[in-house]
Amino acid sequence: MASIDFPEPLLDLERAAWAEIQAGGLTLDTARAVQTAVTAFAAEGGHDRYTVEMGLKKAIRHPAAAG
């Protein structure tokens, strides 16, 4: 998987979602915000949305493996 340079606001959104998931309370608003931002970032950068989403999750949830 190619390395993608994620902007800090997108990383912050995924961090917030991951914190909510770990606490057992992911909200629809947070999930929607992440998906909207991922979709926009992928479209703007000409990336596959799935690749962006998986890379973002890996960067936040498994930072040692991401880079």
Side-chain angles (χ1 to χ4, degrees):
M1 181 180 303
S3 178
I4 299 173
D5 187 22
F6 296 108
E8 199 61 35
L10 185 54
L11 292 167
D12 289 343
L13 282 172
E14 183 60 29
R15 283 184 193 105
W18 182 231
E20 288 183 13
I21 290 167
Q22 290 179 306
L26 178 64
T27 65
L28 183 56
D29 288 341
T30 301
R32 184 179 294 125
V34 172
Q35 284 303 305
T36 299
V38 163
T39 301
F41 177 77
E44 289 169 11
H47 304 290
D48 175 68
R49 188 204 55 81
Y50 177 79
T51 302
V52 169
E53 184 175 352
M54 292 300 100
L56 182 62
K57 288 178 188 290
K58 186 175 180 180
I60 297 304
R61 299 177 187 193
H62 309 285

